């Protein structure tokens, strides 16, 4: 088998991957966690969507400079290695390989299964139904991506187009049929301190915004990464933020935040109120297509991380994980990511898995933002097809946002944060062993 990935991913597939990775489970399901944290107060939730979007766009504008300057397969892992050295680069890839990608795939698979379970007439907590669906959808998409990266990119483009339909319908009819009530007042419900709750709701919105940086992992398979990658990240995020704000206003104009906090799928609740039971089911199918596309995007990009690590011989089984089939896909790396995801999915916990992965990945996002400033100082003559505007203001804002996320999680969710740190640090003895054996 060849070890060279084919350059067959263009701008359309790249921007579809950004939008597809970001708009998925979060916008449909995270309002429950947000308005539960605010005790039914809508204001703080809307602020968190705006602030989360702002932090994400600042991060996207910042990280795109490195993505364009270092257009190699591996994404953030490669950026960190070039900036900070081999050990930290490996640790980034290790975290993504064993925690972030499989954990996120598992979380999305679980929420897909819960929504499908309700559509089939079962309850969302019926694990006898939910777990087989979750495992089945993960393995199905693994098989489709093994056929070839161009097929994975094609699935992404089609799913992204399909997912916009329920979003647009909810937005349009939500504004037409909804009541123009306040979406800012009250800021929180009784007994909730707005400042202390902000971190919790921001983590939820950042999960909904997450995925934007992962298209960088496809750089080695893109036709013109220096030109297309920054446009895909920035253009995709601008679309996402606009959609998120509009649809969350539409949600609140149809159902109060206190009601959205009580259901697994606030989007389905709103769709049922707007279109009735049958129309609501049709919209739910559209939501499932959206989540399907997001899941595919994470499998498509996530499997490239263990592939990149294996090319360097850094992880156990590198000889097998570096193999690429005739369709141009890293077949064994896809299986590794998907099998780990299935193991995580056995927990059946959407919010727990998503919180765990968001904390771990934002540690390295923040290092990436800092890396832009570090590279500007150490390598001023480096070829930069794209430069972050308003430097150094935008990178500084991105760094502040990242530090807030990481520190807040350490304080408010120490057990989840500790789990992420332990799983990540397990990579250090593995790296040391492989270096000695080399």
């Amino acid at each position: 088998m060849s070890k060279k990935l084919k350059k067959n991913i263009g701008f359309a597939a790249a921007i579809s991957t950004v939008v597809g990775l970001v708009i998925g489970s979060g916008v449909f399901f995270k309002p429950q966690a947000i308005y539960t944290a605010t005790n039914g107060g809508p204001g703080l939730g809307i602020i968190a969507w705006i602030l989360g979007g702002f932090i994400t766009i600042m991060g996207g504008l910042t990280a795109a400079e490195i993505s364009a300057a270092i257009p190699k397969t591996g994404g953030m892992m490669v950026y960190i290695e070039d900036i900070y050295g081999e050990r930290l680069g490996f640790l980034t890839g290790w975290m993504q390989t064993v925690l972030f990608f499989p954990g996120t795939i598992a979380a999305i698979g679980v929420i897909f299964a819960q929504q499908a379970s309700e559509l089939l007439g079962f309850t969302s907590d019926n694990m006898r139904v939910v777990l087989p669906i979750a495992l089945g959808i993960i393995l199905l998409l693994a098989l489709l991506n093994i056929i070839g990266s161009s097929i994975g990119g094609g699935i992404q483009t089609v799913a992204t187009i399909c997912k916009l339909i329920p979003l647009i319908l909810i937005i349009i009819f939500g504004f037409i049929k909804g009541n123009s009530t306040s979406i800012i007042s009250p800021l929180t419900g009784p007994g909730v301190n707005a400042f202390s709750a902000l971190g919790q709701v921001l983590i939820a919105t950042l999960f909904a915004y997450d995925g934007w940086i992962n298209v960088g992992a496809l750089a080695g398979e893109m036709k013109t990464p220096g030109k297309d990658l920054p446009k895909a990240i920035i253009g995709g995020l601008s679309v996402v933020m606009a959609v998120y704000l509009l649809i969350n206003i539409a949600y609140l104009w149809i159902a109060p935040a206190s009601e959205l906090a009580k259901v697994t799928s606030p989007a389905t609740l709103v769709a049922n109120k707007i279109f009735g039971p049958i129309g609501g089911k049709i919209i739910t199918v559209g939501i499932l297509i959206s989540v399907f596309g997001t899941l595919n995007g994470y499998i498509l990009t996530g499997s490239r991380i263990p592939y990149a690590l294996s090319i360097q011989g850094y992880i156990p089984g590198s000889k097998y994980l570096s193999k690429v089939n005739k369709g141009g896909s890293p077949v064994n790396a896809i299986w590794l990511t998907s099998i780990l995801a299935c193991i995580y999915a056995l927990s059946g916990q959407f919010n727990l898995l998503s919180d765990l992965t968001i904390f771990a990945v934002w540690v390295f996002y923040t290092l990436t933002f800092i890396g832009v400033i570090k590279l500007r100082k150490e390598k001023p003559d480096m070829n930069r097809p794209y430069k972050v505007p308003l430097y150094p203001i935008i990178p500084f804002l991105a760094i502040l946002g990242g530090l807030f996320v990481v520190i807040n999680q350490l304080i408010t969710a120490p057990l989840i944060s500790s789990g992420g740190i332990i799983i990540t640090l397990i990579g250090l003895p593995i790296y040391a062993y492989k270096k000695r054996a080399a």
Side-chain angles (χ1 to χ4, degrees):
M1 291 186 181
S2 168
K3 291 188 179 182
K4 187 176 181 181
L5 297 174
K6 297 179 180 179
K7 290 183 175 291
N8 52 16
I9 296 178
F11 173 71
I15 195 168
S16 295
T17 301
V18 174
V19 177
L21 282 168
V22 177
I23 299 180
S25 58
V27 69
F28 298 119
F29 303 106
K30 278 299 182 180
Q32 181 199 29
I34 290 168
Y35 297 123
T36 297
T38 66
N39 196 19
L44 189 62
I46 291 296
I47 290 171
W49 284 111
I50 295 171
L51 187 56
F54 176 78
I55 293 172
T56 301
I57 289 176
M58 294 301 102
L61 287 168
T62 303
E65 178 170 311
I66 294 181
S67 296
I70 312 173
K72 304 174 185 176
T73 292
M76 186 167 62
M77 174 189 70
V78 176
Y79 314 153
I80 296 290
E81 180 176 338
D82 278 21
I83 298 166
Y84 299 102
E86 191 176 86
R87 180 182 286 104
L88 197 52
F90 169 81
L91 209 60
T92 307
W94 172 262
M95 177 276 299
Q96 291 177 304
T97 295
V98 301
L99 178 56
F100 176 72
F101 278 108
T104 303
I105 291 166
I108 298 170
V110 167
I111 204 66
F112 177 96
Q114 289 177 348
Q115 186 65 47
S117 177
E118 290 185 358
L119 189 64
L120 295 171
F122 299 96
T123 59
S124 62
D125 59 355
N126 187 336
M127 289 298 110
R128 292 184 179 181
V129 177
V130 169
L131 288 182
I133 295 175
L135 301 181
I137 197 67
I138 292 169
L139 294 175
L140 171 63
L141 281 168
L143 286 170
L144 290 175
N145 276 276
I146 282 169
I147 296 173
S149 61
S150 60
I151 290 180
I155 292 171
Q156 204 59 49
T157 302
V158 171
T160 299
I161 294 170
C162 290
K163 78 171 56 183
L164 292 177
I165 295 173
L167 287 168
I168 291 168
L169 288 175
I170 290 175
I171 289 170
I172 292 173
F173 287 94
F175 277 79
I176 292 173
K177 295 188 174 185
N179 298 316
S180 301
T181 55
S182 174
I183 58 170
I184 295 297
S185 180
L187 202 62
T188 63
V192 175
N193 179 277
F195 183 78
S196 61
L198 178 60
Q200 189 176 350
V201 295
L202 187 58
I203 286 293
T205 60
L206 286 174
F207 175 80
Y209 278 109
D210 196 54
W212 50 273
I213 202 171
N214 300 319
V215 72
L218 298 176
E221 296 166 79
M222 293 179 67
K223 297 170 185 176
T224 54
K227 175 184 175 183
D228 290 342
L229 193 55
K231 290 195 300 182
I233 293 174
I234 297 164
L237 286 178
S238 298
V239 171
V240 169
M241 187 174 182
V243 169
Y244 278 11
L245 288 176
L246 288 171
I247 197 165
N248 276 280
I249 292 171
Y251 286 163
L252 290 169
W253 277 3
I254 295 295
S258 56
E259 191 174 354
L260 296 173
K262 297 176 182 177
V263 292
T264 303
S265 176
T268 298
L269 169 70
V270 170
N272 284 331
K273 286 178 176 287
I274 295 174
F275 304 108
I278 295 176
K281 287 184 182 298
I282 294 172
I283 295 297
T284 299
V285 171
I287 293 170
L288 287 173
I289 294 173
S290 172
V291 179
F292 181 87
T294 302
L295 191 57
N296 176 72
Y298 274 96
I299 292 174
L300 174 67
T301 56
S303 57
R304 271 59 184 177
I305 305 303
Y307 167 81
L309 284 174
S310 67
I311 287 294
Q312 297 171 300
Y314 284 164
I315 55 177
S318 291
K319 177 181 177 182
Y320 301 98
L321 293 172
S322 63
K323 290 183 178 180
V324 177
N325 65 13
K326 292 181 180 179
S329 294
V331 54
N332 292 330
I334 290 173
W335 279 126
L336 173 66
T337 303
S338 302
I339 290 170
L340 286 174
C342 287
I343 293 171
Y344 280 115
L346 293 174
S347 69
Q349 300 294 315
F350 170 64
N351 285 315
L352 174 64
L353 290 169
S354 60
D355 287 352
L356 175 65
T357 60
I358 285 298
F359 167 78
V361 81
W362 267 90
V363 172
F364 292 91
Y365 284 171
T366 306
L367 287 173
T368 303
F369 305 151
I370 295 170
V372 171
I373 297 174
K374 189 171 185 289
L375 280 180
R376 287 281 190 110
K377 291 182 178 179
E378 295 178 356
K379 299 180 180 179
D381 298 326
M382 184 180 191
N383 178 39
R384 292 175 173 86
Y386 160 86
K387 289 186 177 181
V388 58
L390 300 177
Y391 179 89
I393 296 172
I394 288 178
F396 181 69
L397 291 173
I399 292 166
L400 282 181
L403 289 174
F404 175 80
V405 171
V406 172
I407 294 170
N408 176 77
Q409 278 290 87
L410 283 169
I411 295 171
T412 61
L415 287 178
I416 292 175
S417 303
S418 299
I421 291 169
I422 291 169
I423 293 171
T424 301
L425 291 180
I426 288 173
L428 286 177
I430 292 176
Y431 173 80
Y433 170 76
K434 294 300 288 185
K435 289 296 289 184
R436 285 197 301 269

